Amino acid sequence: MEAADPVSASGLARALQIIYAVADANPSGIGVSALSRHLGMPKAVAHRILKTLSNDGFLQFDEGTKRYSLGAGALSVGLNAFVNLDLRAAVHPFLRDLVEATGETATLSMRQGWARLYLDQVESPREVRMTVSVGRPYPLHAGSSSKAILAALPDRDVDAFLRLRPLESLTARTPVDPDALLVEISRIRRLGYAESAGERQPAAGGVASAVLRQDGTVFGSVSVCGPITRFDEATRAAYGPLVAQAAERVSTAMIRQSAPTLTAT
């Protein structure tokens, strides 16, 4: 049997096959048996390459589900590609438009497994404003950007998230009751946008809407965010349609720029 050397030409080709297959296995990764069947690759060969990629941090292995998904190394490559490709230039104007319309910071987030992270932001021109940490992961239950992504997932994936991931309390207002979160998800789906007030950061408010790929699966979310004192209920309701419209435009722009190649789920 041919050795599965990830450095050889044949090994590299197989490693790339595996990386693409793992990236396409939305939303919760893929097991070695399913992967080997999908690629027509011997299970031992697939397992050896998966282990190598996991040891290097390019993939990650979930002990609970026994599935592989893209890891920090893949994410780093994707983020660098995002910065250097035309995609960022295509999306950035919509964030600027949101800042102009609201006076608040606008952000773009991407889903990564059961978390999400900020990809880009356009800061508010106000002296007191909110800024975000690009590249830092956050859970899917806390804050408008996260909840918009969670609500855009199919019910089976929402159920899996609630079953596999504890609802950690980040602030006194973080939703940690699964039943209450399900009610909130229904409301987000009905409105087309998510709201938050002090859920991820005590002094921050936000409104967000999901960004979708061409196949209807969720890529991430667009938001406006700022000091909680400027995000009362009436203001959030006013910003909701603006953010939902921006998210729809970003979805269209990302589809045109082949955004699915940058997914890290």
Side-chain angles (χ1 to χ4, degrees):
M1 179 169 42
E2 180 183 353
D5 177 8
V7 180
S8 70
S10 61
L12 179 58
R14 285 171 166 171
L16 289 172
Q17 282 184 296
I18 286 175
I19 289 168
Y20 287 129
V22 171
D24 288 339
N26 296 324
S28 54
I30 188 170
V32 61
S33 297
L35 184 68
S36 64
R37 288 194 301 270
H38 174 68
L39 296 177
M41 187 181 297
K43 185 175 179 180
V45 173
H47 186 259
R48 196 174 302 126
I49 297 173
L50 285 166
K51 291 290 289 183
T52 298
L53 292 170
S54 298
N55 290 339
D56 290 340
F58 203 87
L59 301 183
Q60 60 183 1
F61 180 67
D62 190 315
E63 291 287 351
T65 63
K66 305 300 181 184
R67 294 183 177 189
Y68 291 87
S69 59
L70 297 184
L75 176 60
S76 177
V77 172
L79 285 173
N80 286 330
F82 176 81
V83 170
N84 291 299
L85 289 177
D86 290 339
L87 176 59
R88 186 174 185 270
V91 169
H92 216 65
F94 302 113
L95 300 185
R96 289 199 303 268
D97 289 346
L98 268 180
V99 174
E100 184 175 344
T102 65
E104 303 293 354
T105 296
T107 75
L108 173 68
S109 292
M110 178 182 74
R111 182 191 173 201
Q112 187 195 22
W114 297 125
R116 64 98 189 166
L117 48 88
Y118 290 110
L119 287 180
D120 197 13
Q121 67 179 319
V122 176
E123 293 185 15
S124 165
R126 299 185 181 187
E127 184 175 357
V128 179
R129 61 183 179 267
M130 185 172 176
T131 60
V132 300
S133 300
V134 174
R136 178 179 174 183
Y138 296 100
L140 289 184
H141 68 286
S144 61
S145 291
S146 291
K147 291 188 301 182
I149 294 171
L150 185 62
L153 294 175
D155 287 341
R156 66 178 182 277
D157 297 333
V158 174
D159 293 340
F161 173 76
L162 294 175
R163 185 176 68 254
L164 297 172
R165 294 293 182 267
L167 301 182
E168 178 187 1
S169 180
L170 304 183
T171 75
R173 296 187 179 184
T174 303
V176 294
D177 182 330
D179 292 334
L181 185 58
L182 287 172
V183 171
E184 176 69 5
I185 286 171
S186 296
R187 181 174 184 271
I188 294 166
R189 290 172 174 174
R190 184 174 70 253
L191 293 176
Y193 60 87
E195 305 175 40
S196 66
E199 293 183 5
R200 187 179 65 79
Q201 291 183 334
V207 179
S209 187
V211 173
L212 304 179
R213 304 185 185 94
Q214 189 170 11
D215 62 3
T217 59
V218 60
F219 173 88
S221 60
V222 164
S223 83
V224 290
C225 55
I228 196 171
T229 53
R230 298 204 297 258
F231 274 76
D232 58 22
E233 185 175 350
T235 301
R236 297 196 303 269
Y239 288 168
L242 296 176
V243 175
Q245 185 179 55
E248 185 176 353
R249 290 173 174 173
V250 169
S251 297
T252 300
M254 295 183 76
I255 289 169
R256 289 173 179 168
Q257 294 293 333
S258 301
T261 61
L262 301 182
T263 60
T265 56

